[in-house]
Amino acid sequence: AAGVIQSPRHLIKEKRETATLKCYPIPRHDTVYWYQQGPGQDPQFLISFYEKMQSDKGSIPDRFSAQQFSDYHSELNMSSLELGDSALYFCASKQGESSGANVLTFGAGSRLTVL
Amino acid sequence: SQQGEEDPQALSIQEGENATMNCSYKTSINNLQWYRQNSGRGLVHLILIRSNEREKHSGRLRVTLDTSKKSSSLLITASRAADTASYFCATDALTQKLVFGQGTRLTINP
């Protein structure tokens, strides 16, 4: 069965550089969530999209932006990277913003290392 | 953590023993879920319990929910080496986004 695909799986950047992470949700899933997980930390909600519109916003820095495209894939853009941005970034998807069981399917994550 | 604490933070037991992890949360919820994460990998959904349920079973998993105490427990019976992972509880309320607890790192020793 198709899962949530994230790319790249690993990314190494220098401070002040930019990075773009991509997420391809499960087919027919129209809701996408982005989470950031620092070393030894719990996943922190960043932002979510439903039907290509931002539906909720969490602790996402102003240096980050994201969008969901017409094919429902999503991209997380990170600029002016800082050492503290080094983390695992997860994308998750589900079908329907208000579907009864709020179960998310997570991708394998993109590991960003900022040097 | 945005939502609450998990207890214990780390647990090491022998294969075949039962493992119990606890989670506390701060706000009213619709559902509480447990997810599993192998080291550096994605999170995998294990089980969901609704706010009006008190106990739920799925295979070797048993989840309880006490909304008056804002707490939940996950019991894994007859543990196996393959159960070694981090376990997170996650809650959702009106905003639908999942808010995760800090997780319990479970090690099953063969």
Side-chain angles (χ1 to χ4, degrees):
Chain A
V4 177
I5 306 298
Q6 290 189 245
S7 68
R9 291 295 312 277
H10 302 273
L11 190 59
I12 299 175
K13 290 287 186 178
E14 301 276 340
K15 281 196 305 184
R16 292 179 288 278
E17 286 190 322
T18 62
T20 298
L21 306 181
K22 297 184 179 183
C23 168
Y24 297 86
I26 289 174
R28 292 185 296 278
H29 279 197
D30 50 17
T31 306
V32 167
Y33 298 80
W34 284 97
Y35 284 83
Q36 177 193 57
Q37 186 179 29
Q41 302 296 312
D42 54 298
Q44 298 283 317
F45 170 72
L46 292 178
I47 196 167
S48 62
F49 293 89
Y50 167 65
E51 280 292 342
K52 293 152 280 185
M53 300 288 289
Q54 181 182 308
S55 55
D56 201 353
K57 195 171 181 179
S59 51
I60 184 169
D62 291 340
R63 300 177 290 108
F64 292 10
S65 65
Q67 58 181 322
Q68 186 179 33
F69 294 86
S70 57
D71 63 351
Y72 296 106
H73 94 272
S74 179
E75 294 184 4
L76 178 66
N77 300 294
M78 299 175 283
S79 62
S80 302
L81 287 169
E82 302 173 355
L83 296 179
D85 296 329
S86 295
L88 265 172
Y89 290 83
F90 289 106
C91 171
S93 73
K94 72 170 188 180
Q95 184 175 27
E97 186 179 40
S98 300
S99 60
N102 194 30
V103 175
L104 304 186
T105 302
F106 281 81
S110 293
R111 182 175 294 280
L112 171 67
T113 302
V114 182
L115 302 176
Chain B
S1 169
Q2 289 180 354
Q3 180 61 306
E5 300 298 318
E6 292 204 34
D7 165 41
Q9 291 191 354
L11 178 63
S12 181
I13 61 173
Q14 294 300 120
E15 195 166 20
E17 294 181 338
N18 296 340
T20 299
M21 290 160 273
N22 303 296
C23 161
S24 62
Y25 57 92
K26 297 175 181 173
T27 61
S28 297
I29 63 171
N30 287 337
N31 308 295
L32 185 142
Q33 304 178 46
W34 285 88
Y35 284 78
R36 165 199 167 118
Q37 183 180 35
N38 283 41
S39 181
R41 310 293 287 269
L43 295 117
V44 176
H45 175 258
L46 294 176
I47 193 167
L48 177 150
I49 186 165
R50 299 185 190 279
S51 59
N52 61 355
E53 297 176 313
R54 292 297 167 258
E55 188 171 312
K56 200 159 183 182
H57 297 253
S58 176
R60 295 184 295 114
L61 304 180
R62 173 178 169 254
V63 169
T64 61
L65 178 64
D66 187 334
T67 52
S68 67
K69 295 180 180 177
K70 290 187 169 59
S71 66
S72 173
S73 67
L74 171 68
L75 168 67
I76 303 175
T77 60
S79 63
R80 306 167 181 169
D83 294 329
T84 294
S86 291
Y87 292 81
F88 293 88
C89 72
T91 57
D92 69 74
L94 293 175
T95 58
Q96 290 284 305
K97 67 173 186 270
L98 287 186
V99 178
F100 286 86
Q102 283 196 327
T104 293
R105 192 170 60 253
L106 175 65
T107 302
I108 309 298
N109 302 302

